[in-house]
Amino acid sequence: MGALTGVPIVALAVPSPLDDALMPLHDHYEDEPAALVRTKEKRGLSRFRYHNAESFFESLDRGFYDRHDEMFYQSGIVAQLALSAHLLDVGLCCKNREA
């Protein structure tokens, strides 16, 4: 299994009932559906973000905040880091767009 981690994994496109509903949006914004491509580099970034989320969560769990607004702010950081770690891990990638 270790030899497979260096090889990008591409998810096969399976037709979905949502495809018909989303196609007009893709056409309107001249965009393509996101592709899932897992790479070793993105999994490393995912792991780093996940561990950062753990650190922020531990401080929340122990009550290391002075005010409730700090608690909500730290909770938002945990949620953002955890969500972006998951999306990187499953291989969600976006094209770089020119402004």
Side-chain angles (χ1 to χ4, degrees), residues 10-82:
V10 179
L12 298 174
V14 178
S16 165
L18 292 177
D19 289 345
D20 292 335
L22 293 175
M23 196 51 67
L25 286 173
H26 292 302
D27 292 341
H28 178 75
Y29 291 105
E30 298 176 1
D31 201 0
E32 296 177 13
L36 297 180
V37 180
R38 295 180 85 182
T39 64
K40 192 173 185 176
E41 178 185 9
K42 287 182 184 174
R43 301 217 49 213
L45 290 171
S46 170
R47 191 173 297 112
F48 180 76
R49 287 178 186 232
Y50 178 82
H51 290 302
N52 281 344
E54 279 184 324
S55 298
F56 276 97
F57 181 76
E58 285 175 9
S59 65
L60 275 172
D61 195 35
R62 294 182 181 158
F64 293 151
Y65 52 87
D66 296 329
R67 302 183 325 251
H68 287 299
D69 60 339
E70 288 179 17
M71 179 192 64
F72 292 129
Y73 180 73
Q74 284 187 325
S75 299
I77 291 172
V78 171
Q80 188 273 333
L81 285 169

